Amino acid sequence: MSCGAIAWWRAPDFAGLLERHGQVEHLVVQFDFLTQVWRDPRAEYSIPGASKSRNGTTSYADIVSIWTREIWEIKPKHLEDQAFCEAAWYVKNAKVSCGPQWEPGGSFSTSNLFGGEASCTGSKATGTRRNS
């Protein structure tokens, strides 16, 4: 599978997303990001070799900007460290498989979502969100 082989406009698997991510907020953050057309946004962007099981198979970054070449991992606030590690893992593999210009996300904020209780910030923007 190649980089970005999963089209962002495909019909979402709502049951699968709820089972996999546990909360609808994950999907809301992705949809919010996808409305920012200037970013050339993608959700569940395929990255060859980035499987979290480290077996060399393809994995999917939560949100990416094709325009800025940024990658975010969406996690609840209490899992910011894990989000940072996962985003860094995706960036490392994207640089190998998708080109050297990728970096952890730093320009997206969800502060207007969830009654102002969400964020997508951090050191080099981990791409995390805090659930209210």
Side-chain angles (χ1 to χ4, degrees), residues 18-120:
L18 290 173
E19 179 181 320
R20 178 173 164 216
H21 302 294
Q23 297 189 31
V24 74
E25 290 88 350
H26 191 276
L27 184 59
V28 171
V29 170
Q30 285 181 316
F31 281 176
D32 179 58
F33 186 79
L34 293 173
T35 65
Q36 299 177 28
V37 180
W38 68 268
R39 296 177 183 280
D40 198 4
R42 302 291 190 274
E44 301 301 324
Y45 186 83
S46 61
I47 301 173
S51 172
K52 293 174 194 167
S53 63
R54 310 291 203 257
N55 65 5
T57 60
T58 298
S59 193
Y60 304 89
D62 289 336
I63 53 178
V64 305
S65 169
I66 301 299
W67 179 254
T68 62
R69 298 295 193 210
E70 293 175 280
I71 298 174
W72 292 265
E73 180 67 14
I74 302 167
K75 296 284 185 214
K77 186 70 170 172
H78 72 279
L79 296 176
E80 277 183 314
D81 291 342
Q82 181 181 343
F84 181 77
C85 289
E86 289 182 19
W89 173 252
Y90 285 133
V91 168
K92 175 182 174 182
N93 284 278
K95 285 182 176 197
V96 170
S97 300
C98 308
Q101 66 281 22
W102 291 93
E103 60 184 54
S107 65
F108 175 60
S109 173
T110 62
S111 60
N112 60 333
L113 296 176
F114 312 115
E117 295 297 318
S119 66
C120 205

